[in-house]
Each structure stands twice: as structure tokens, then as C-alpha cells.
Amino acid sequence: MRTDPLQLVKLPVDGDGPPPALLPYQQRWVADDSPFKLHEKSRRIGMTWAEASDDVLIAASAKRAGGQNVYYLGTDKEMTEEYIEACAMWARAFNHAASAIETGFWEEDKEDRHIQTFSIRFPASGHKILAMASVPSKLRGRQGVLVGDEAAFQRDLKGLIKAAMAFLLWGGKVRLLSTHDGVDNAFNELIQDVRAGKRKGVVHRTTFQEAVEQGLYQRVCMRRGIPWTQAGQDAWVADAYSFYAEDAAEELDVVPSQSGGAFLPMSLIEARMSPDTPIVRGKWTHEFALLPKAQREAEVLAWCEEQLLPHLEKLDERDAHGVGEDFGRVADLSVLCVAAETRDLVRRCRLWVELSNCPFEQQRQIYFYLCDRLPRFRSGVLDATGNGAYLAEVAMQRYGIGRIEPLHLSEPFYTEQMPRFKAALQDGTFDDLPRDREVRDDLRALRVIKGVPKLPSAPTQVADGPKLRRHGDGAIAAFLADYAMRREVAPIEWTAVPAKVSRWDQVERDHDRPAHDDDIALQPAGAW
């Protein structure tokens, strides 16, 4: 059986004894046995060394235990030699019988080219690790585990990716590790495809700061034989950023260069707009919030029946519906995007609602009025950051925790879900946004900031005077509506009411049954 690598590199958590051989981010990488995985990483954090530990265990294992040949592709001779020497060290540490490092040549048909190779053989398993400093054209005929180191800098990365996929069909595995080399590089495009769900795979991400927090500098001190101090670590980190200067964002912080532009092209946004999608805009004065509760509720109920109900009555009863909302109270807008999943599995915006300076209680009233009348209401996702937490909480109480998700927007969520939103716009599975200049500009406000697609912190538009700001609110509403309709939501359990024997039976039951709070909860919003 193949030895679990974590049993060899992890130590008890009590802190006694020598430190673990692999740091936490290295352990997570080695423990992930996915067929296809990628790692976007900082420079010099020891990922090649960690990968070598796993490759030795794979090559040293029998075929029945998952053992295979390993093919390592570096970008130069020095990198390849460093990797194969790390493999030899791990083989000794794991006490696996292995041959000495052998050198040879991989013969290429094209231009009579020869690629120098370094290899280690494991007699007990019959497998080998073969490392080379270039991508061979004959790679397609091989089988095993393919490791592409500094993949973004490979001479023919797109060709390598196509050849690598063949490894997966017969039980092989592919590991691509690299720092970035620009936003348009094939490595970054591959990562975005995986995050968007266009390709099956797993993405790991480790920045220089994260590696330091998890013990990288302690490992450096151990290697150099010097004591660790916090001051020494701070100076070491500062020096690293000083050495890389303007390249530090890409080389250390894992941010592809030239990635500060708009996340969504204008042509893509406009291609997903429809003049038939209605927009309802409501605006209230500051004095409105001071009116008696009954008067506010009556006026907003009348507004809902006049402005919203005609559009809600046109929704197709056969479609499932969901809502994404970005909350705003005073300066920012609240925007609700109602989406429907049609028979062709396309998520389409069916109604767009913008609320300006609407009191908290009336936003609750409008949200309930809307959701109560959505055919086959499946899911609602609300931005629960800041003041939006109130509406998210009462919506969850009314419709259930399975159907409503109060969401705190964060960089990890943006990193994971924004590429999927963009992919949905690109392939047309999210469509029919309202054809409106301000909606378009909201979506154009999304930026790639330090490698993460999100909204900048400053307001992006000013509308109706200086007091009302558009802060890309519509972009978040559309984004959350698409996410809401992609959520896995459990079906609602129900039991049929027994059939009435006669109309008098129903009258008697109604007369004898005491009033219940649920009777009030089921009333349309604004009627109580």
C-alpha cells in the first residue's frame, strides 16, 4: 500500500519534538489527491520541494496501490536538477530503495532535438521519476503523473495543457504549479476556467505573506542555523518586497500583472441586456421615514400594487424564481434582481427593482411583498454586511434558512464565484439584464483588484444629485441573483390537506380552530 504522505511529514500538535517536514500549505497540497490540481503561488516558498515528497511516494508504490511513473517538466536545467536532488533526498528519508540519479536524453523527432533528462528508478515498484527541462513533443504517448513546474513560463503551455489532459483518461494525474506571468497568460486563463467551472479541477493559492505566517521564515532560520526573531522576520519580509519592487504584486502576492481593468467587457454586458426587462425605481424623502407606521405601510403597499404587481402577475408559473439583493439605506441604493430559471435552464432577469432612501421597515415590506408572489420561489441571497443584516435575518425567519442565504461578501467568495458569474454571461446561461445605462455602468464598475474581481471602495457613479450614489449596486444584485439560482436548495416538504366531506365540515373546523400566528405570517406583506 502507498504510504500516506501526511503520516510521514506531520507531527503531533503539542509542539514537542522537531518541527514538521512540511508547512501547512505544503501539507494541504500534498494531501489533495485530485486528478487535476493547480497551484498559483509566490516565489520561493518550497512548493517544488513539497511536490517532490509526494512524487517519491507515488513512484515508489506498487501499481495496485496507485503507483505510477512521474514526469517532471521544469523550465531550465538548474530547476530540474534541484527537483531531482530533492526526490533523492525524500527517497532516503522515506527509506525507499532507489537508484542513483541517472542522466540521459529524450530524443525528439522534430529538428533532431535531444532533451537532457534526469531520472531515479525504484526497483521494488518498477516505476521511475523522469525530470526534464523542456516540454517534449512525444509526451502524448506517456502515462502517469505529470508535474509542470513554473507552468506559466513553459515554452508551449497550451500544448502542454492539451497533452496533459490525456494523462487523466487512464487514471493519471496532472499537477501544474507556477507564479503568474500576466493576466493573459494561459496559466491564469486555465485557473479562471477551473474557478468558473468550465474545467474540472482544484486550485490552490498561497501568497508570500501566507507562507510566512505558516512558518516559512522559521524554516529559513533552521536551514541557515540562525535564531528566529519577530524583528528578523519583519526585516526579511521587507527585504523581499524591496528586492522585487514593482514586481512584488505578481511575484509575491500572486496578482497577475496588468489586471487592474474592468472585469466585464462592455460588449459582453450589452450582449446580455434586453429592452423587455422592466425596471421599477422607487424614491422616498427623508420625511417619509418619520410618518406613522400605518401611513408608511399603506403608502408602500399602494406603491407595490401599482408598480410591482403588474410585473409579478406576468411571471411564468412554470419557472422557478430567485432574488439577489444588494442593500442600501441612505446614500446607496438597494437593488433587487429577480431571476427565473426557464425551461432551457437559462437564468433570466425578469424584474429589476431599485429603492432609494427607503426606510428599513418598508424595505422589509417590499421584499416580503415581492417574494410572496414569486412563482415557485426557490432561493434568495441578500448582502448581510452592515445594515443589510436586519433584512437578511427577517427574510430568513420568514422563508427558512434553506431558502434564504444571508451572505457576508468577502474576497474568498468573490475569488470563487465571480469567475462563474462571468462565465454565465459569456455562455449565455445568465441573460436578459435590463437595457439601461446605469445598470450597464454598475456592471462595468467591477474591477480586478490585487487579483480579486470585486467593486472598488469608492462610489462609481453619481445620479440625481450629489446625495445619491451608485456604488455598483446593480452589479452585486445581478451577481447574487445568478448565485441564488445556482444554489443547491432542498425541496419543501409538504403534506396534502384531507379532502372535505362537505362544506359544513370546513365551517366547523374553522369555527373550532383557535387563531394561530402562522395565519398572520401567511398574510401578504403590508396587510398586517
Side-chain angles (χ1 to χ4, degrees):
M1 295 294 290
R2 178 190 165 195
T3 305
D4 181 355
L6 290 191
Q7 296 303 315
L8 297 170
V9 300
K10 289 185 71 174
L11 293 173
V13 297
D14 58 10
D16 295 334
L22 298 183
L23 298 173
Y25 60 91
Q26 296 169 323
Q27 294 176 20
R28 286 191 293 271
W29 172 257
V30 171
D32 185 350
D33 202 36
S34 302
F36 180 39
K37 62 182 182 180
L38 305 99
H39 198 145
E40 52 176 346
K41 65 182 188 66
S42 165
R43 293 276 187 195
R44 307 303 294 173
I45 60 172
M47 288 311 305
T48 301
W49 191 70
E51 176 63 31
S53 71
D54 196 24
D55 296 341
V56 166
L57 294 175
I58 292 173
S61 299
K63 186 175 182 180
R64 65 179 180 275
Q68 304 184 68
N69 290 331
V70 176
Y71 298 90
Y72 172 88
L73 307 176
T75 57
D76 56 48
K77 181 173 177 289
E78 289 72 20
M79 176 187 292
T80 308
E81 287 182 309
E82 182 179 338
Y83 165 80
I84 205 71
E85 289 171 357
C87 289
M89 183 279 298
W90 281 114
R92 292 190 296 271
F94 294 152
N95 199 27
H96 286 304
S99 69
I101 297 175
E102 303 171 3
T103 60
F105 290 94
W106 184 299
E107 296 185 3
E108 291 279 81
D109 294 334
K110 294 182 179 180
E111 303 175 358
D112 195 28
R113 189 165 67 103
H114 294 76
I115 300 174
Q116 186 173 9
T117 63
F118 302 87
S119 62
I120 297 177
R121 299 179 185 275
F122 296 86
S125 67
H127 299 128
K128 64 182 178 181
I129 297 176
L130 184 66
M132 61 199 86
S134 182
V135 179
S137 61
K138 292 183 179 179
L139 191 62
R140 289 178 177 271
R142 307 293 165 168
Q143 183 59 34
V145 176
L146 177 64
V147 179
D149 203 353
E150 289 299 346
F153 300 87
Q154 294 285 350
R155 185 181 61 181
D156 182 17
L157 179 56
K158 290 188 176 180
L160 169 61
I161 292 170
K162 288 199 296 185
M165 296 304 104
F167 275 64
L168 303 175
L169 300 180
W170 287 79
K173 298 176 181 178
V174 177
R175 284 85 171 86
L176 299 180
L177 309 86
S178 189
T179 48
H180 278 293
D181 188 28
V183 69
D184 297 323
N185 184 274
F187 178 69
N188 184 56
E189 292 174 353
L190 181 62
I191 286 174
Q192 298 307 313
D193 284 348
V194 171
R195 285 192 171 131
K198 293 182 178 180
R199 286 181 185 265
K200 186 176 181 179
V202 177
V203 177
H204 291 243
R205 185 174 188 267
T206 307
T207 67
F208 184 72
Q209 296 281 6
E210 290 169 339
V212 171
E213 291 170 1
Q214 295 176 42
L216 178 62
Y217 181 65
Q218 284 93 325
R219 190 56 44 85
V220 170
C221 291
M222 185 186 307
R223 188 82 175 266
R224 295 172 57 189
I226 61 177
W228 178 90
T229 64
Q230 185 64 53
Q233 176 172 297
D234 294 343
W236 185 72
V237 171
D239 285 345
Y241 279 87
S242 178
F243 293 148
Y244 280 104
E246 67 273 9
D247 296 325
E250 183 167 69
E251 298 291 307
L252 302 178
D253 296 333
V254 197
V255 178
S257 60
Q258 300 177 355
S259 62
F263 179 62
L264 300 175
M266 186 175 295
S267 58
L268 173 61
I269 298 170
E270 294 184 349
R272 294 292 165 255
M273 287 184 158
S274 169
D276 298 326
T277 303
I279 300 179
V280 176
R281 291 185 166 111
K283 184 177 181 180
W284 287 265
T285 64
H286 293 292
E287 291 74 19
F288 178 77
L290 305 179
L291 295 176
K293 178 180 179 181
Q295 184 176 348
R296 283 185 280 112
E297 289 184 348
E299 290 190 21
V300 168
L301 177 60
W303 180 87
C304 289
E305 292 179 343
E306 178 183 342
Q307 300 293 330
L308 300 181
L309 187 58
H311 301 298
L312 296 172
E313 290 176 336
K314 295 178 182 178
L315 298 177
D316 195 324
E317 296 284 343
R318 297 168 296 180
D319 296 340
H321 290 80
V323 185
E325 187 192 45
D326 183 48
F327 186 89
R329 173 58 184 93
V330 180
D332 295 330
L333 295 171
S334 281
V335 180
L336 298 90
C337 176
V338 176
E341 183 181 76
T342 53
R343 189 172 183 178
D344 56 3
L345 300 181
V346 175
R347 302 177 292 277
R348 304 179 187 276
C349 179
R350 291 306 193 205
L351 176 61
W352 188 272
V353 182
E354 295 183 358
L355 308 176
S356 171
N357 199 28
C358 185
F360 291 104
E361 286 296 315
Q362 274 49 69
Q363 293 203 43
R364 173 195 56 77
Q365 183 181 352
I366 292 169
Y367 191 86
F368 288 178
Y369 185 96
L370 187 75
C371 293
D372 285 349
R373 291 160 179 79
L374 290 180
R376 298 179 60 195
F377 177 38
R378 177 193 293 174
S379 175
V381 178
L382 301 92
D383 175 15
T385 306
N387 289 334
Y390 162 74
L391 182 56
E393 182 179 89
V394 295
M396 183 174 59
Q397 292 167 348
R398 183 179 182 91
Y399 299 108
I401 58 175
R403 199 185 299 184
I404 298 295
E405 179 175 349
L407 184 67
H408 293 275
L409 294 170
S410 63
E411 289 201 356
F413 183 80
Y414 281 127
T415 300
E416 179 182 359
Q417 297 296 336
M418 269 295 179
R420 299 183 183 185
F421 177 54
K422 184 176 182 178
L425 295 173
Q426 289 172 330
D427 59 28
T429 54
F430 188 75
D431 206 354
D432 292 343
L433 291 164
R435 186 169 294 280
D436 178 84
R437 174 177 56 83
E438 291 179 341
V439 173
R440 180 202 64 189
D441 291 347
D442 277 357
L443 288 158
R444 282 284 290 171
L446 292 170
R447 292 285 186 272
V448 182
I449 303 172
K450 294 185 178 180
V452 180
K454 60 181 181 179
L455 287 176
S457 56
T460 56
Q461 302 182 52
V462 177
D464 296 335
K467 293 185 178 180
L468 175 61
R469 305 178 301 176
R470 295 189 72 95
H471 185 204
D473 312 289
I476 300 301
F479 169 50
L480 295 184
D482 176 67
Y483 171 70
M485 297 305 292
R486 287 189 284 105
R487 292 177 66 229
E488 293 287 344
V489 180
I492 300 174
E493 300 294 338
W494 60 280
T495 303
V497 176
K500 293 185 292 185
V501 176
S502 72
R503 62 190 180 94
W504 300 109
D505 292 340
Q506 182 64 44
V507 170
E508 290 175 1
R509 284 197 296 269
D510 288 346
H511 177 74
D512 296 336
R513 181 171 59 91
H516 192 276
D517 289 344
D518 289 345
D519 296 333
I520 300 175
L522 293 174
Q523 295 294 323
W528 47 277

